[in-house]
C-alpha cells in the first residue's frame, strides 16, 4: 500500500509541473483501492463525508445495484472504444476544458453538451453550490447560462486543474447524435426563441450556399433548410474559419472523453435515472432534476430526426454519419435505421 501511494504521489508531482502534462494526469484510470486514502480523504469536508468519487468507488466494490452496473458498463465501453478508435492525440490545454464546470463544494466536474439538458444541469449545479436559492426549476435560463456563473475548469491553473481531475466525480450527458443535431437545427434555425442564430449562422449559410438567394433571406437567414444546414457542416470552409458552434459541435470534441476520465456517462434517453444517480453520489438525493423529457417528447425527438433525414441523399447521410461517427461509437449509439448508408 505504501509503495502504491508513493508511486501515485510521484505521478502527482510530475503532473503539477506544467500545463503540457495534463494528458498524463487525466488519462482514464481505474478507481483503485488507494484512491480513498489519498490526500483528499483526510481533507474532504473535514474528513466527515465520502466524496462523490469515493462513493462511486464504494458502489463498484459492493454487489452492484443495477444502475451502478449500467454505469460501469458504459465506462468500460467508452474506454475500450477510445483505445480502439483514437490515435495519438495532442495534449490537452486548459482552454480545451472550457465546457467542464466545477462544483468545489461537492467535488463535481460536469462537462456540458448543449441540447442535452444542459440548462437544467446548470440550474442544478447553481442550486447545489449554493449560488442560487430554492428550487432549481425557478432559476431563469439566462441566469443558468450567464458566463462565469459557474466556474469553468479552464480558468484554473494546471496544478489546480489536475488536482480536481484526480479527486472529483467527473460526468457528462450525451444524446443520440442525430437527434441532438435535429434538435439544434430546430431550436436555433428553424423555430428559434430568438433571431440570434438565424442572423449569425443562418444568414451566412444562405449567403454561402444558396445561389440567387433573395435579399431578405441573405440578411435574415430565417429560412435555412435542413439540407443547407448539413451542407454547411460538411463544407470544409466552415471548420477552417472557426470551430463549430457548441450546439452542433460533437460531444467528444467538447468534452474529450478519451483524454479525461469520465466516471458517469449520463444519457438523455435515460435522463431521470442517470440524473438521480449523479445527485445521489453528490449527496443531494432530495434535489430533484427538473422535468426530464416525457416518453412522448422523446418519441417526437426521434421522429423529428427521422423526418429531417428522410429528404437527405444517401451521399450526404453517409458523410454526415462519418462526421459524427465518434459520438456514435464512444457512447454506444447505433446508426439510426432510417439512414441509407449502403
Ligand atoms: C450498447 O448498446 C446495445 C444496443 O443498444 C445494448 O444492448 C448494450 O447494453 C449497450 N452497452 C452499454 C455498455 O451501454
Amino acid at each position: 500500500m505504501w509503495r502504491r501511494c508513493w508511486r501515485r504521489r510521484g505521478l502527482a508531482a510530475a503532473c503539477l509541473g506544467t500545463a503540457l502534462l495534463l494528458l498524463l494526469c487525466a488519462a482514464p484510470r481505474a478507481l483503485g483501492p488507494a484512491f480513498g486514502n489519498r490526500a483528499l480523504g483526510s481533507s474532504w469536508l473535514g474528513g466527515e463525508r465520502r466524496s462523490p468519487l469515493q462513493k462511486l468507488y464504494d458502489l463498484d466494490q459492493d454487489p452492484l445495484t443495477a444502475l451502478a452496473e449500467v454505469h460501469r458498463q458504459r465506462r468500460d465501453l467508452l474506454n475500450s472504444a477510445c483505445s480502439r478508435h483514437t490515435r495519438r492525440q495532442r495534449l490537452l490545454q486548459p482552454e480545451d476544458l472550457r465546457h467542464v464546470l466545477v462544483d468545489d463544494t461537492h467535488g463535481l466536474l460536469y462537462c456540458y453538451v448543449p441540447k442535452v439538458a444542459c440548462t437544467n444541469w446548470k440550474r442544478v449545479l447553481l442550486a447545489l453550490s449554493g449560488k442560487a436559492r430554492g428550487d432549481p426549476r425557478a432559476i431563469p435560463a439566462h441566469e443558468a447560462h450567464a458566463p462565469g456563473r459557474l466556474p469553468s475548469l479552464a480558468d484554473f491553473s494546471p496544478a489546480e486543474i489536475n488536482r480536481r481531475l484526480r479527486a472529483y466525480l467527473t460526468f457528462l450527458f450525451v444524446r443520440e447524435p442525430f437527434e441532438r443535431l435535429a434538435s439544434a437545427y430546430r431550436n436555433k434555425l428553424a423555430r428559434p426563441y430568438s433571431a440570434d442564430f438565424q442572423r449569425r449562422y443562418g444568414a451566412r449559410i444562405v449567403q454561402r450556399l444558396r445561389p440567387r438567394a433573395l435579399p431578405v433571406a441573405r440578411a435574415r437567414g430565417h429560412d435555412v433548410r435542413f439540407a443547407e444546414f448539413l451542407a454547411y457542416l460538411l463544407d470544409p470552409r466552415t471548420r477552417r474559419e472557426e470551430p463549430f458552434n457548441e450546439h452542433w459541435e460533437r460531444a467528444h470534441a467538447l468534452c474529450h472523453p478519451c483524454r479525461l476520465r469520465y466516471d458517469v456517462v449520463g444519457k438523455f434517453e435515460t435522463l431521470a435515472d442517470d440524473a438521480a444517480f449523479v445527485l445521489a453520489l453528490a449527496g443531494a438525493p432530495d434535489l430533484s432534476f427538473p422535468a426530464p423529457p416525457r416518453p412522448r417528447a422523446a418519441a417526437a425527438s426521434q421522429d423529428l430526426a427521422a423526418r429531417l433525414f428522410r429528404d437527405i441523399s444517401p451521399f450526404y447521410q453517409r458523410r454526415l454519419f462519418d462526421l459524427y461517427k465518434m459520438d456514435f461509437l464512444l457512447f454506444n449509439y447505433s446508426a439510426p435505421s432510417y439512414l441509407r448508408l449502403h
Side-chain angles (χ1 to χ4, degrees), residues 70 73-74 77 267 332 334:
V70 165
Q73 288 177 7
R74 284 187 198 164
L77 189 137
K267 296 198 161 182
N332 195 32
S334 42

Side-chain angles (χ1 to χ4, degrees), residues 26 44 52-53 97 99-112 121 125 128 151-154 156 160-173 255 260-265 278 282:
W44 187 263
L53 188 52
L97 306 172
H99 274 239
V100 181
L101 304 177
V102 180
D103 175 359
D104 279 327
T105 318
H106 296 79
L108 300 174
L109 296 173
Y110 161 58
C111 184
Y112 72 95
W121 268 114
L125 285 183
L128 267 179
S152 159
L153 199 53
F156 292 88
E160 288 291 294
I161 291 172
N162 284 325
R163 187 173 69 76
R164 287 172 173 78
L165 283 174
R166 280 195 304 275
Y168 287 8
L169 182 90
T170 307
F171 68 101
L172 84 170
F173 272 73
C255 295
L260 302 185
R261 173 208 83 239
Y262 281 95
D263 303 302
V264 179
V265 177
V278 172

Side-chain angles (χ1 to χ4, degrees), residues 57-118:
Y57 170 67
D58 294 344
L59 277 181
D60 276 355
Q61 291 306 292
D62 287 334
L64 289 174
T65 66
L67 198 52
E69 175 61 18
V70 165
H71 286 285
R72 193 188 57 72
Q73 288 177 7
R74 284 187 198 164
R75 281 197 302 274
D76 289 351
L77 189 137
L78 175 61
N79 286 338
S80 62
C82 283
S83 38
R84 215 164 328 125
H85 301 291
T86 54
R87 292 180 294 272
R88 262 182 77 82
Q89 304 188 27
R90 86 191 155 77
L91 297 172
L92 281 182
Q93 299 296 324
E95 199 46 45
D96 295 319
L97 306 172
R98 182 56 59 196
H99 274 239
V100 181
L101 304 177
V102 180
D103 175 359
D104 279 327
T105 318
H106 296 79
L108 300 174
L109 296 173
Y110 161 58
C111 184
Y112 72 95
V113 177
K115 308 312 304 167
V116 193
C118 87

